[in-house]
């Protein structure tokens, strides 16, 4: 009797789970993809800068072969996210499903085949803040910029068939990762030709939202870290910038992005600023994935 009741409970739970998945737009193929994607390599890179392993997801386009050189898109997650956030995540929770959209757009020849790399950067904002890796409150301090620039990029270029120049290298991120991407592109103009700040966590008041005052302590100058400040003297070397957010996003974030757009426009930078319906969540970001990818990879654009 006990076994029959247990089986009945398991059956009901399984049915409810399936219903929830279907209601959220999943089919059996998509469910399988949650657990298996033959072209997403889940790996670890030991970082000498951080003195620990960092998880990294690497998407390879269908038909990947070493006889061809591929552009690389580095995508950074938001606060409390991880290397899975841009991919499948767990049953689609806190995930943008960029791999599925990339598969489709490549097949439709709307974007070029590209490699997509998404590393775990903890809650660091991708900036060098301490010679010692440590967690302080809700953020992480350490040499995260060095990890990305000096370790991750060389690792990818050494192990995959990549275009090893700024013309074939792009960086983007959502929320905290958007701040990180913009900072890295502005601070390292020799590394990236395109940057996307997707709902980038930019604020004029350092105390807005979760606050970023900790980034500008111990002699670190905000003028050399904050993208809004860097934009005032960023070198116009042909960098393409894409900014976007939902119309229902945080008011401080909208203010920060508008200010950055105004400054970049005044400096005659190549910048797009897009506002779409939505808030600060994966429902919004998932709807924009195709536009993001088509910004990074225009099939009509020739690599230099």
């Amino acid at each position: 009797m006990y076994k029959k009741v247990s089986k009945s409970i398991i059956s009901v739970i399984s049915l409810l789970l399936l219903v929830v998945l279907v209601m959220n737009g999943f089919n059996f193929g998509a469910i399988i993809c949650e657990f298996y994607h033959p072209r997403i390599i889940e790996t670890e890179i030991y970082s000498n800068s951080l003195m620990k392993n960092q998880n990294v997801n690497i998407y390879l386009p269908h038909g990947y072969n070493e006889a061809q050189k591929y552009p690389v898109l580095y995508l950074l997650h938001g606060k409390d996210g991880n290397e899975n956030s841009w991919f499948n995540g767990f049953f689609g929770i806190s995930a943008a499903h960029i791999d599925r959209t990339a598969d489709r757009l490549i097949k439709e020849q709307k974007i070029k085949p590209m490699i997509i790399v998404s590393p775990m950067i903890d809650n660091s904002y991708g900036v060098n803040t301490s010679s010692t890796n440590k967690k302080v409150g809700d953020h992480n301090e350490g040499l995260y910029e060095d990890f990305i620039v000096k370790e991750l990029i060389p690792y990818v270029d050494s192990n995959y068939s990549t275009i090893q120049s700024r013309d074939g290298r792009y960086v983007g991120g959502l929320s905290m990762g958007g701040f990180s991407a913009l900072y890295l592109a502005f601070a390292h103009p020799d590394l990236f030709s395109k940057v996307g700040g997707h709902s980038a966590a930019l604020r004029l008041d350092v105390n807005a939202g979760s606050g970023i005052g900790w980034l500008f302590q111990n002699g670190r100058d905000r003028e050399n870290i904050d993208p809004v400040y860097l934009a005032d003297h960023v070198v116009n070397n042909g960098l393409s910038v894409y900014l976007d957010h939902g119309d229902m996003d945080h008011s401080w974030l909208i203010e920060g992005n508008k200010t950055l757009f105004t400054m970049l426009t005044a400096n005659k930078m190549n910048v797009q600023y897009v506002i779409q319906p939505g808030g600060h969540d994966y429902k919004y970001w998932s709807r924009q994935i195709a536009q993001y990818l088509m910004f990074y990879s225009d099939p009509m654009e020739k690599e230099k």
Side-chain angles (χ1 to χ4, degrees), residues 72-274:
V72 184
L73 169 59
Y74 291 86
L75 286 176
L76 308 176
H77 61 77
K79 187 172 181 290
D80 298 323
N82 56 44
E83 73 281 0
N84 296 313
S85 298
W86 279 99
F87 295 101
N88 284 333
F90 180 74
F91 284 126
I93 299 172
S94 297
H97 306 294
I98 198 165
D99 49 311
R100 300 180 195 172
T101 306
D103 283 346
R104 175 175 61 83
L105 293 178
I106 291 171
K107 184 177 180 180
E108 295 172 354
Q109 298 185 337
K110 292 182 178 179
I111 65 171
K112 298 175 185 176
M114 66 165 63
I115 297 170
I116 302 174
V117 179
S118 186
M120 177 66 169
I121 61 168
D122 304 313
N123 288 340
S124 68
Y125 279 78
V127 176
N128 285 343
T129 48
S130 172
S131 59
T132 303
N133 180 55
K134 56 188 175 181
K135 183 172 177 59
V136 181
D138 66 347
H139 64 266
N140 297 83
E141 298 183 16
L143 299 176
Y144 284 89
E145 179 180 352
D146 284 356
F147 162 63
I148 296 168
V149 172
K150 297 180 180 180
E151 296 175 325
L152 177 63
I153 292 176
Y155 172 88
V156 173
D157 283 345
S158 296
N159 288 276
Y160 298 94
S161 186
T162 66
I163 298 172
Q164 298 184 20
S165 69
R166 72 182 295 271
D167 297 301
R169 190 182 297 122
Y170 325 126
V171 63
L174 61 84
S175 194
M176 177 196 76
F179 179 109
S180 305
L182 291 163
Y183 164 72
L184 290 168
F186 294 167
H188 300 276
D190 58 318
L191 288 182
F192 307 101
S193 58
K194 295 182 181 181
V195 58
H198 311 303
S199 305
L202 305 174
R203 66 265 276 171
L204 304 183
D205 177 0
V206 297
N207 297 312
S210 58
I212 55 171
W214 61 274
L215 284 173
F216 318 123
Q217 297 176 354
N218 300 322
R220 295 187 298 272
D221 192 347
R222 186 176 186 182
E223 281 71 19
N224 296 321
I225 296 175
D226 193 325
V228 175
Y229 284 71
L230 283 171
D232 195 38
H233 51 84
V234 65
V235 176
N236 188 349
N237 64 344
L239 177 70
S240 295
V241 183
Y242 186 100
L243 302 174
D244 77 284
H245 58 73
D247 59 358
M248 298 298 291
D249 210 320
H250 307 300
S251 58
W252 54 263
L253 182 149
I254 294 174
E255 181 184 32
N257 276 264
K258 284 183 177 179
T259 300
L260 178 59
F261 172 68
T262 299
M263 295 179 70
L264 292 175
T265 301
N267 285 345
K268 303 187 185 308
M269 295 287 290
N270 179 14
V271 57
Q272 300 179 50
Y273 183 33
V274 179

